[in-house]
């Protein structure tokens, strides 16, 4: 039995469904990232877990106990909000102690837990410092310490790094994951940032339109996306229209509208003649001479430098207007205006193939 179970959870506001039948199982000590665009339902899922909203249907249980109807205070969940919500007039130690004192914990026990919580986030030296005297990353970790001090069963994180400068995020991610690992607490993180989900989550649940699209490790989502939405949402990709020509189990060969025959991976049954989209990753492609057999051909419309590589946008020939493909290559591989060929890179994961008629929100 999994530690935190979410079964068929649904919520609508004003008659409009926001979350539709979400089912997830989270192991004890696991960090699960709920990832999705704005309006996907991920924040509603977190609020339902916290008890701030009541589900229209479904069940939430922790270690076998049904907590669906319990108010937030009786769930013993820790919550770190997007804006931290630290009291500016209190020190770090006083902020961490606040929730314990409201629960009538004895003073010696409060002191012990405050010291332990600040040590877990590696900030014991800031016990007497107020939020205005801390960096954004330090404030975030104090907020985590405050959530951990009551020794919650589950930790909930709502966009915890969104207020940090980009230069601080990478270091704070490492520190946050390290603190959670030391405690071994089951954690649910909500974010719209893929990099944050990839760095913090043991597994990632992608949500869109109130529906669970896929759950798995970062590499599973990237290399074997289960839905057209996940293929387009995770990482960078290009969609090439074509028609299935031959089939070899999961491997299919697609005659692209741009001309050549390219291999792809289809995780559902397709038949010859099916109109499809082949989803290609920039790093899975390579430049070739325009006359190379099997290459799609176009002109470099844009070159975005990324040291030491660059991302090239190629406007394709032989297709309708707007058809283009992105290639990640050495920064000096081509210049804007060059006419180039593009091929799938040998030994790279096969591009995913989806029916062109499938529309997923």
């Amino acid at each position: 039995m999994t530690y935190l179970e979410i079964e068929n959870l649904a919520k609508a506001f004003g008659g409009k469904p926001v979350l539709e039948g979400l089912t997830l199982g989270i192991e004890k000590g696991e960090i699960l990232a709920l990832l999705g665009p704005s309006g996907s339902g991920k924040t509603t899922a977190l609020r339902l877990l916290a008890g701030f909203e009541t589900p229209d249907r479904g069940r939430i249980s922790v270690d076998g106990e049904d907590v669906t109807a319990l108010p937030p205070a009786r769930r013993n969940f820790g919550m770190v909000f997007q804006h931290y919500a630290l009291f500016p007039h209190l020190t770090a130690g006083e902020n961490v102690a606040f929730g314990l004192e409201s629960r009538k914990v004895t003073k010696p026990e409060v002191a012990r837990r405050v010291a332990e919580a600040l040590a877990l986030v590696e900030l014991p030296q800031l016990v007497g410092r107020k939020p205005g005297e801390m960096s954004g990353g330090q404030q975030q970790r104090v907020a985590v310490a405050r959530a951990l001090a009551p020794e919650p069963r589950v930790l909930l994180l709502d966009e915890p790094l969104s207020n940090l400068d980009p230069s601080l995020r990478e270091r704070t991610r490492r520190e946050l994951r390290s603190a959670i690992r030391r405690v071994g607490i089951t954690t649910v993180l909500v974010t719209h940032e893929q990099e944050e989900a990839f760095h913090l989550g043991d597994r990632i649940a992608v949500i869109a339109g109130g529906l669970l699209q896929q759950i798995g490790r970062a590499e599973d989502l990237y290399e074997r996306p289960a839905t057209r939405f996940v293929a387009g949402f995770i990482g960078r990709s290009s969609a090439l229209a074509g028609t299935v020509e031959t089939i070899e189990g999961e491997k299919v060969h697609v005659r692209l509208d741009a001309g050549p025959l390219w291999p792809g991976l289809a995780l559902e049954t397709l038949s010859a003649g099916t109109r499809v989209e082949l989803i290609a990753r920039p790093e899975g492609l390579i430049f070739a001479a325009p006359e190379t057999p099997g290459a799609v051909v176009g002109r470099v419309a844009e070159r975005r430098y990324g040291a030491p590589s660059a991302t090239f946008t190629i406007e394709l020939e032989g297709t309708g207007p707007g058809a283009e493909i992105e290639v990640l290559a050495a920064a000096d591989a081509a210049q804007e205006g060059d006419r180039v060929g593009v091929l799938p890179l040998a030994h790279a994961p096969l591009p995913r193939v989806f029916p062109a008629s499938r529309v997923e929100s």
Side-chain angles (χ1 to χ4, degrees), residues 13 22 34 37 40 54-55 64 71 90 92 98 134 146 165 193 208 224 234 272 274 279 284 314:
F13 294 102
L22 179 65
L34 296 181
S40 61
T54 302
L90 300 182
F98 185 84
M134 306 177 201
R146 182 180 59 185
D165 294 332
E193 293 282 350
R224 292 176 69 89
I234 298 295
T274 302
I279 309 300
I314 316 300

Side-chain angles (χ1 to χ4, degrees), residues 22-79:
L22 179 65
T23 296
L24 292 169
I26 305 165
E27 300 296 332
K28 189 173 180 61
E30 182 180 22
I31 304 173
L32 180 78
L34 296 181
L35 174 66
S38 297
S40 61
K42 61 187 186 299
T43 299
T44 297
L46 195 74
R47 291 182 63 81
L48 291 170
L49 280 173
F52 301 148
E53 302 284 352
T54 302
D56 297 333
R57 71 170 188 273
R59 180 176 180 270
I60 302 167
S61 63
V62 182
D63 201 16
E65 178 191 357
D66 189 339
V67 301
T68 313
L70 293 182
R74 292 186 57 197
R75 296 190 184 200
N76 192 21
F77 285 11
M79 182 85 180

Side-chain angles (χ1 to χ4, degrees), residues 45-354:
L46 195 74
R47 291 182 63 81
L48 291 170
L49 280 173
F52 301 148
E53 302 284 352
T54 302
D56 297 333
R57 71 170 188 273
R59 180 176 180 270
I60 302 167
S61 63
V62 182
D63 201 16
E65 178 191 357
D66 189 339
V67 301
T68 313
L70 293 182
R74 292 186 57 197
R75 296 190 184 200
N76 192 21
F77 285 11
M79 182 85 180
V80 177
F81 297 94
Q82 184 173 348
H83 298 288
Y84 311 148
L86 297 177
F87 296 110
H89 62 289
L90 300 182
T91 65
E94 291 166 341
N95 266 284
V96 175
F98 185 84
L100 297 171
E101 292 169 344
S102 66
R103 299 183 187 199
K104 300 182 180 179
V105 178
T106 64
K107 286 187 177 180
E109 181 67 7
V110 168
R112 181 187 71 80
R113 292 201 196 179
V114 168
E116 284 186 356
L118 287 173
L120 282 169
V121 297
E122 299 182 337
L123 291 178
Q125 73 278 12
L126 299 189
V127 64
R129 195 174 298 181
K130 293 182 179 180
E133 303 170 307
M134 306 177 201
S135 69
Q138 289 170 336
Q139 291 182 52
Q140 185 265 351
R141 287 152 65 196
V142 170
V144 171
R146 182 180 59 185
L148 293 175
E151 299 177 350
R153 295 191 288 180
V154 175
L155 178 64
L156 306 177
L157 304 174
D158 182 14
E159 304 274 5
L161 306 181
S162 61
N163 292 324
L164 299 182
D165 294 332
S167 59
L168 279 176
R169 285 181 188 165
E170 184 176 352
R171 185 179 71 210
T172 308
R173 281 190 206 108
R174 293 197 304 269
E175 293 165 345
L176 177 57
R177 183 174 172 85
S178 177
I180 293 171
R181 278 280 166 263
R182 282 194 293 272
V183 181
I185 188 170
T186 306
T187 301
V188 179
L189 156 77
V190 158
T191 182
H192 66 277
E193 293 282 350
Q194 294 180 33
E195 191 173 2
E196 187 171 308
F198 279 28
H199 279 76
L200 290 173
D202 297 317
R203 287 188 301 156
I204 301 162
V206 180
I207 299 177
L211 298 170
L212 178 64
Q213 301 286 322
Q214 187 175 357
I215 183 169
R217 300 174 303 163
E219 53 264 43
D220 298 329
L221 302 181
Y222 191 83
E223 296 177 7
R224 292 176 69 89
T227 70
R228 176 65 181 85
F229 176 84
V230 175
F233 182 69
I234 298 295
R236 300 190 67 87
S237 62
S238 303
L240 299 175
T243 303
V244 174
E245 193 161 296
T246 60
I247 303 166
E248 304 170 15
E250 288 187 345
K251 186 177 181 180
V252 298
H253 287 88
V254 177
R255 180 65 66 183
L256 301 178
D257 291 354
L261 189 68
W262 277 21
L265 180 70
L267 299 185
E268 59 188 280
T269 302
L270 298 175
S271 57
T274 302
R275 290 290 294 169
V276 295
E277 284 185 319
L278 186 145
I279 309 300
R281 300 291 188 188
E283 68 277 10
L285 302 171
I286 189 171
F287 282 127
E291 63 274 10
T292 304
V296 295
V297 179
R299 289 194 181 275
V300 178
E302 185 181 18
R303 172 183 173 273
R304 300 187 298 282
Y305 183 69
S309 59
T311 302
F312 300 83
T313 301
I314 316 300
E315 291 182 348
L316 298 179
E317 299 176 359
T319 60
E324 56 186 35
I325 191 170
E326 287 192 340
V327 179
L328 182 68
D332 60 356
Q335 299 297 322
E336 291 184 4
D338 287 353
R339 186 170 182 266
V340 296
V342 177
L343 287 167
L345 184 62
H347 309 301
L350 289 175
R352 278 287 274 118
V353 176
F354 296 93

